[in-house]
């Protein structure tokens, strides 16, 4: 299983099939995370959190912050202190 960046999204791909994604809208120095979706076959395996981690790492690498409008991403970032350095003020 791979996570690839594609068109303002990070996508979980297995055997050429898209099984989940997190999408964001870039706006200057802020990435607005607007949606996270994981296939039912991956639920409960931590894949959603891995997708949030990917967008957090991307924001750090690009010197950007995150505005988590997606309730799932917001919850994961709120519960994970090491992700909070990228939160938009």
């Amino acid at each position: 299983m791979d996570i690839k960046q594609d068109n303002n999204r990070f996508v979980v791909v297995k055997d050429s099939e898209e099984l989940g994604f997190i999408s964001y809208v870039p706006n200057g120095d802020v990435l607005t995370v607007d949606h996270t979706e994981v296939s039912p076959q991956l639920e409960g395996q931590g894949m959603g959190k891995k997708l949030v981690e990917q967008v957090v790492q991307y924001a750090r690498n690009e010197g950007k912050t995150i505005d988590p409008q997606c309730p799932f991403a917001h919850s994961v970032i709120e519960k994970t202190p090491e992700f909070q350095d990228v939160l938009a003020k």
Side-chain angles (χ1 to χ4, degrees), residues 15-85:
D15 301 327
S16 301
E17 182 182 1
E18 184 178 301
L19 297 177
F21 70 90
I22 188 166
S23 59
Y24 59 89
V25 178
N27 185 9
D29 288 339
V30 179
L31 303 176
T32 301
V33 176
D34 58 355
H35 192 70
T36 308
E37 192 172 307
V38 175
S39 165
Q41 67 194 49
L42 293 181
E43 284 180 8
Q45 298 180 34
M47 193 52 68
K49 183 174 181 179
K50 287 181 182 160
L51 286 166
V52 173
E53 184 177 5
Q54 288 290 316
V55 80
V56 165
Q57 193 58 52
Y58 175 72
R60 286 180 184 139
N61 293 344
E62 299 295 315
K64 299 190 182 296
T65 58
I66 292 175
D67 176 14
Q69 293 295 312
C70 163
F72 178 81
H74 183 269
S75 173
V76 169
I77 291 170
E78 200 168 81
K79 293 176 187 171
T80 313
E82 59 268 27
F83 291 174
Q84 294 173 8
D85 61 305

